[in-house]
Structure formats: C-alpha cells, structure tokens
Amino acid sequence: MNFELHNRRILVTGATSGIGLDIARSLAELGAELVLFGRNRDQLAELEQELEARTQAVDITDEAAVVAAFVEMPVLDGLVNCAGISILDDVLDIQANDLENIMATNVTASAVVAREAARHMIAHGRQGSIVNVSSQAAMAALPGHLGYCASKAAMDAMTRVLCLELGPKGIRVNSVNPTVTLTPMAERAWADPAKRDPMLAAIPLGRFATPREVALPVAFLLSPAASMISGACLPVDGGFTCH
C-alpha cells in the first residue's frame, strides 16, 4: 500500500497554526506539493520557505475571495478543510451572532472551498480526495459547545453529501474527528486540572491527542492507501465516542 504523497498537490486551509500547521508539515514530509491558505501573511511567508509551498492569504468566509483564489490555482489532487473557529458559551448565554460566526466559518466557508476544489479537480480531470477536519463534538454532546457541536455535526453531514455527489466524479470525501488536540493554544486552555481531568477520564486511552496523531490519519485518507474509503467520519479520539 502506498502512503506517500509524491506528485500530489494538496490545498490546506487554516495552515498557519494549530492542527492545520502540523497537517501541512506532515504532508510535506510525505512528499506532497502544498498550497496553503491562511490569514497570517508573516506565517505564510515563513511556511513558503520552510515547506517550499505555494501560499495565499485568503479569508475563506469571503466567497468572492475564495473564488478568486482558484482562478490561477495549480492543478489539485486533494483538499484539507482545516480552517475553523470555536466560540464556547453555555446554552443560556449563547448569542445569535456567535452562532452565525461559527457556522459561517466551520460550515459555509468549508462548503465553498470544497465546492471550488471539486470544480477545479473535475475541470482538470483529477480524481482527488477531500478531508474535512471535524471533531468528536460532532458525535457527542459537550457542555458549553452548542455552536461548535452543531457546526461540526453539520460538517459531517456535508462530508456525506459531498461523498454522494462527488463519488461518481472519482473524488473521495471523508472527515476526521479528533478529541482535544494539544496544540499550544489547547495546552493553555486545558491546563486547569478541574477542566482537564474529567475529559481525560472519559477517554479510554487516558490522554489527549498530539497534532501529529491527527495529521497522519488525514494523510492516510488523502493517500492511495485509502482508495476505497469515502463518506467516513473517522474518530481520532482515543475511544471517547465509544460510550
């Protein structure tokens, strides 16, 4: 089985930080040619040098900007939809504007990027792969996560529809659904034992994921080794969602 990605060009959104940054680095190690979207121009410039990647500053919530970014896009073999936001509030405190912002980024923008990437692959005769970075929050209720849970559940539903419609075009579509992943931001957010310990107790493996442990399943789903896998929502959660 071939897990390598040589001669495959992959677009990664949200590539300048967090899980997206580790995904980009892991894909580069496996030989992929990268196109990276992000909003931090300085970080994009650094990644352009580090990973020999093509980079573009794009606000994916701006549909016109996304469409424009694909005008001179090199031929793609894959997409990783990783850009996303999280706004956490208890149900009694949630604001409509927060819900709209979460859905606009995690669902609408991801759908627009997937649409443009699929159009691009089809126009160039490529049978590619799309991976949406979802969450265990799509599969289990989490306190304070109403908007986030709803957005990631919508992303999984989107994955299945994309699978159904794009499969006949030879494009596979899957999601990965990680648990808490220890990016620098998450390490700070989960440092309080009162918050951390109950979550760890609910994970059978007893620990959180590293970004690398999320990046490698993404790489697998992009690779020829996953050539018959489409429409899957893959938990990368140490068993959290087995309850």
Side-chain angles (χ1 to χ4, degrees), residues 6-200:
H6 290 288
N7 301 316
R8 290 175 179 262
R9 186 176 288 110
I10 311 296
L11 168 62
V12 182
T13 70
T16 56
S17 63
I19 295 173
L21 178 57
D22 277 86
I23 288 172
R25 286 173 170 156
S26 295
L27 297 183
E29 287 177 15
L30 292 167
E33 299 175 28
L34 297 178
V35 180
L36 307 178
F37 282 3
R39 291 189 291 185
N40 186 321
R41 293 180 183 273
D42 291 338
Q43 184 67 25
L44 285 172
E46 292 177 10
L47 290 174
E48 190 168 323
Q49 297 298 316
E50 176 190 344
L51 305 179
E52 298 182 357
R54 175 177 177 143
T55 66
Q56 194 161 353
V58 180
D59 178 357
I60 64 165
T61 64
D62 182 342
E63 182 177 9
V66 172
V67 172
F70 276 86
V71 171
E72 297 184 2
M73 179 72 66
V75 179
L76 294 176
D77 300 288
L79 162 68
V80 181
N81 256 327
C82 193
I85 63 171
S86 175
I87 302 173
L88 305 183
D89 281 309
D90 292 337
V91 169
L92 299 181
D93 298 320
I94 193 77
Q95 301 295 310
N97 187 59
D98 289 341
L99 289 171
E100 290 169 1
N101 288 336
I102 293 170
M103 298 302 285
T105 301
N106 295 0
V107 184
T108 305
S110 294
V112 168
V113 174
R115 180 196 71 197
E116 292 303 303
R119 287 176 175 174
H120 191 76
M121 291 180 202
I122 293 166
H124 290 87
R126 292 300 178 99
Q127 296 188 346
S129 173
I130 295 172
V131 180
N132 295 318
V133 179
S134 181
S135 170
Q136 68 182 15
M139 301 176 166
L142 301 174
H145 284 66
L146 174 61
Y148 191 71
C149 285
S151 72
K152 292 302 186 177
M155 176 174 269
D156 283 359
M158 180 177 73
T159 293
R160 290 186 286 271
V161 175
L162 291 170
C163 162
L164 187 67
E165 294 196 20
L166 297 179
K169 306 294 186 181
I171 300 173
R172 299 182 296 106
V173 188
N174 296 284
S175 292
V176 294
N177 298 66
T179 186
V180 175
T181 304
L182 292 177
T183 62
M185 183 180 294
E187 287 181 351
R188 293 190 295 271
W190 291 87
D192 182 358
K195 178 180 179 181
R196 179 188 65 226
D197 293 350
M199 178 61 79
L200 286 174

Side-chain angles (χ1 to χ4, degrees), residues 211-224:
R212 179 80 167 177
E213 288 173 320
V214 179
L216 291 179
V218 170
F220 164 69
L221 290 171
L222 290 168
S223 78

